[in-house]
Amino acid sequence: MRALPICLLALMLSGCSLLSRSPVEPVQSSAVTPKSEPVKPKVTRPAPVRIITDAQDLVGKPFRDLGEVTGESCQASNQDSPPNIPTARKRMQINASKKAKANAVLLHSCEVTSGTPGCYRQAICVGSALDVSAK
C-alpha cells in the first residue's frame, strides 16, 4: 500500500518534467513569413477627435461642417446599470472619427430620455463633426 503513493508521486513528477521541455524553434526574421499565414495589413488609427462645448472656441478658425453625429448609452431594463452621458459622448467622438477628416465635434446637447424603443432609459449626445484647420 505504501508503494502506490510513491509510484503516483514519481509518475506526476516525471510527467511535469516532460511538459517543461519544448523543442527549440528557429527564430524567423520579420521579413520572411510562412506561406500558411497571410500578411496582415497595418491598421491605421483615426486621429483623436476633440469635443468643443462652446461655439466661441471656433470664432476666427476656418472649419468645415461634416454633418451631424450622435452617441448613445442605453439602459435596457430597470435592473441594468443606468445610462451614462460620458459613454454617450465617447461614442459620439468615435462616430465622428469615422467621418473623413473629422478632428473635432461641436457638442449640441446631451440628455437622458425614457420611452425610447428598446431602452428603458437612454443617454444621447448630439453634435456636429467638424474639420477644423490649423490656420
Side-chain angles (χ1 to χ4, degrees):
M1 253 343 206
R2 292 183 195 173
L4 183 61
I6 293 173
C7 290
L8 287 176
L9 180 65
L11 183 63
M12 288 186 343
L13 289 176
S14 66
C16 290
S17 67
L18 290 176
L19 289 177
S20 65
R21 296 182 196 163
S22 64
V24 177
E25 295 180 12
V27 177
Q28 295 180 351
S29 67
S30 61
V32 178
T33 58
K35 292 182 181 180
S36 63
E37 294 181 24
V39 177
K40 295 179 183 177
K42 298 253 179 177
V43 177
T44 57
R45 305 257 184 236
V49 176
R50 63 187 173 108
I51 294 180
I52 300 172
T53 55
D54 188 10
Q56 294 296 323
D57 294 341
L58 294 171
V59 173
K61 294 180 184 176
F63 66 90
R64 203 171 111 217
D65 188 351
L66 300 173
E68 188 176 90
V69 289
T70 61
E72 67 175 38
S73 174
C74 179
Q75 178 184 4
S77 69
N78 193 18
Q79 288 79 29
D80 292 339
S81 60
N84 194 340
I85 287 183
T87 302
R89 286 173 59 135
K90 187 67 176 173
R91 289 181 180 161
M92 180 183 64
Q93 277 181 292
I94 292 168
N95 290 336
S97 72
K98 293 176 184 175
K99 292 199 178 239
K101 297 185 180 182
N103 59 7
V105 175
L106 177 59
L107 179 65
H108 298 306
S109 67
C110 284
E111 59 185 25
V112 177
T113 61
S114 57
T116 306
C119 294
Y120 176 72
R121 286 182 11 181
Q122 179 183 31
I124 187 161
C125 290
V126 180
S128 295
L130 303 175
D131 177 17
V132 180
S133 299
K135 296 178 182 178

